[in-house]
Amino acid sequence: MSDEGKRRMPSCSLGWRPDHADEYLAVRGWIDIPICEGVLAEPLKFLCCVDGSKPSLTALDWLCDDVLQRDRQAFVEVLHLYDESKDVPLARRKDTLYDNCQNKLASSASSKRYNLAWKDRKGMTGVDVADMILDHAVETQPSFMCVGIYGVEDTRKQTFTNHVLEMLRFARSSVIVFKDEDSKLLPIRRKAVFAVSVSLNQASTKAFLDALKLSKPGDEIHVVYIKSYMEDTDDSDYTTQLKEKYASFFGDIKGDAASGVFKNFNSRDLTFAAVPKQKHQTIPQAMVQYADEVDADFIVIGTNSLRVERGKPVLGTVSLQIMQETARNVLVSFWLDISPKLFGDHVKTSRPPSRSSIRPPSHSSVNSSKDKA
């Protein structure tokens, strides 16, 4: 291989970067290997928002019956926001939910590996509820947040309720949106299938890392790039470099030279698919079609961190359209690699401070009493 070819080869061991002279490549298309290893090595920590709806309870079932069972370092915090001023069915009352969640978690893990937080949200709806959840996430710093696609008060089962949309737009951790209403549909005691939407940017690399992090031995991870309709026959330079990038990544994970954190994931079934769009087909539609073909349990998408530099929220319309098009569970991976000034100018101010100013100064909280020794 020529020196130029080696320079452009996306080898993890060489700390590959896209060529800045190539305008079609993302400027920051790769995450440094030590950071990748750090992301994969960090213990799993979940914040599961439970409101009594079927999708939220399905999320808890997945955590208890799958994740906590196979990963002895995983930690789960269950958050419930209640309003005692409303008359709700017995099954959704705060004490009933608390007891059910406590019993479910106690049967799956030791008391040191979970916590329950019950908070009063009296008089709050929509974005105010989202603010409470996001504030709690800031305090607990989860690596993943789990939420049902609709709430118990949403009788029409809309694609998004206000608090879910706000979480997707402003959460500072990856968010798993559960659409399945029956835990039998989830990959519990069977292999899981992940379909990861990628391109040459750090956000989609983080999406792939999140899929790896959540996977178990034998799981399938499909890395999917949707090509242009006009690119049906010959690959563009962009597609070629994307293939090379993930071929090198797969080699570092499954190759004979795999070492460090990566070798812990060499039992995954990894596939790269460059899928051409059909005529009049959108990228979200093509991605959802591929996920349906492989019967994916989770579609994984990355937030576009480069949007923040233009003063926009990190979640774009393509990600939202994928979530609207599919009936499958969706993992929205969070990754933000910008300067502190941009973070202060655009991210911290993206949630209007006036919301916090009208919020009551404190909320009562009920936490499970557990032996911390």
Side-chain angles (χ1 to χ4, degrees):
M1 180 181 293
S2 66
D3 292 340
E4 175 67 14
K6 291 179 180 178
R7 185 182 69 80
R8 294 171 66 88
M9 176 64 70
S11 171
C12 294
S13 59
L14 295 177
W16 175 82
R17 298 288 191 284
D19 188 349
H20 289 259
D22 295 328
E23 296 180 354
Y24 51 81
L25 294 177
V27 175
R28 294 185 297 273
W30 188 247
I31 302 174
D32 289 336
I33 296 309
I35 298 178
C36 290
E37 293 179 331
V39 169
L40 294 174
E42 182 184 7
L44 289 168
K45 185 176 182 181
F46 296 86
L47 175 62
C48 184
C49 303
V50 171
D51 60 2
S53 65
K54 290 182 179 179
S56 71
L57 294 176
T58 298
L60 182 62
D61 286 343
W62 177 69
L63 291 172
C64 292
D65 297 338
D66 183 77
V67 177
L68 288 175
Q69 298 284 344
R70 58 182 168 85
D71 190 332
R72 299 301 177 182
Q73 291 185 315
F75 182 88
V76 172
E77 172 137 347
V78 178
L79 174 65
H80 174 62
L81 307 181
Y82 62 86
D83 186 351
E84 292 187 296
S85 66
K86 295 184 177 181
D87 185 20
V88 298
L90 178 62
R92 297 207 305 266
R93 292 178 184 172
K94 67 168 188 172
D95 293 335
T96 304
L97 270 178
Y98 186 93
D99 291 340
N100 291 341
C101 292
Q102 167 69 25
N103 293 336
K104 183 75 175 177
L105 288 161
S107 65
S108 303
S110 68
S111 59
K112 297 179 182 180
R113 296 175 55 208
Y114 67 85
N115 186 57
L116 296 95
W118 262 228
K119 294 187 175 183
D120 188 355
R121 68 170 183 90
K122 183 177 181 180
M124 291 188 176
T125 58
V127 294
D128 295 321
V129 172
D131 282 347
M132 286 188 67
I133 296 173
L134 293 170
D135 288 346
H136 190 83
V138 170
E139 297 171 5
T140 56
Q141 294 293 305
S143 46
F144 296 93
M145 298 173 67
C146 300
V147 63
I149 187 63
Y150 61 85
V152 292
E153 298 176 358
D154 182 23
T155 56
R156 293 176 295 172
K157 299 183 180 181
Q158 296 174 341
T159 303
F160 295 108
T161 53
N162 286 338
H163 72 282
V164 174
L165 183 58
E166 292 290 297
M167 288 172 62
L168 289 171
R169 294 179 63 195
F170 301 119
R172 296 297 167 253
S173 59
S174 299
V175 180
I176 310 175
V177 180
F178 283 81
K179 294 191 175 185
D180 289 340
E181 298 183 354
D182 189 341
S183 59
K184 294 179 181 179
L185 299 174
L186 292 170
I188 299 174
R189 290 179 287 276
R190 67 168 175 83
K191 76 172 182 180
V193 180
F194 297 84
V196 187
S197 176
V198 299
S199 58
L200 276 175
N201 60 52
Q202 289 188 344
S204 62
T205 303
K206 176 57 163 51
F208 174 62
L209 293 176
D210 278 350
L212 269 181
K213 194 175 179 69
L214 290 176
S215 67
K216 57 184 180 293
D219 285 355
E220 295 181 14
I221 301 178
H222 296 256
V223 177
V224 186
Y225 171 61
I226 305 301
K227 301 196 300 181
S228 167
Y229 170 70
M230 301 301 293
E231 198 185 344
D232 191 18
T233 54
D234 298 325
D235 289 341
S236 67
D237 291 342
Y238 186 100
T239 302
T240 299
Q241 292 201 26
L242 191 64
K243 286 181 176 180
E244 291 174 346
K245 168 183 172 177
Y246 280 97
S248 178
F249 210 159
F250 292 175
D252 282 351
I253 295 172
K254 299 181 69 69
D256 295 335
S259 61
V261 176
F262 289 115
K263 69 179 181 181
N264 297 329
F265 299 92
N266 59 12
S267 58
R268 276 55 170 180
D269 185 3
L270 305 176
T271 302
F272 182 90
V275 180
K277 285 195 303 180
Q278 302 302 313
K279 192 174 183 180
H280 305 305
Q281 189 179 42
T282 65
I283 291 177
Q285 289 171 342
M287 183 64 203
V288 170
Q289 179 179 321
Y290 183 89
D292 291 341
E293 291 173 356
V294 299
D295 197 17
D297 298 291
F298 297 93
I299 295 179
V300 189
I301 52 182
T303 53
N304 186 357
S305 60
L306 297 181
R307 290 167 52 85
V308 179
E309 298 185 14
R310 302 194 296 270
K312 299 180 180 180
V314 294
L315 190 67
T317 55
V318 173
S319 299
L320 288 174
Q321 287 171 10
I322 289 176
M323 299 189 68
Q324 291 171 332
E325 291 280 349
T326 186
R328 301 179 185 277
N329 308 308
V330 180
L331 165 57
V332 181
S333 295
F334 175 76
W335 180 258
L336 195 61
D337 182 29
I338 59 175
S339 69
K341 183 180 184 304
L342 284 170
F343 183 86
D345 291 344
H346 298 301
V347 181
K348 285 186 177 180
T349 59
S350 60
R351 289 172 59 204
S354 58
R355 293 185 195 166
S356 299
S357 64
I358 64 174
R359 188 181 305 154
S362 63
H363 306 285
S364 60
S365 176
V366 179
N367 291 298
S368 61
S369 58
K370 304 194 298 292
D371 182 11
K372 301 295 183 181

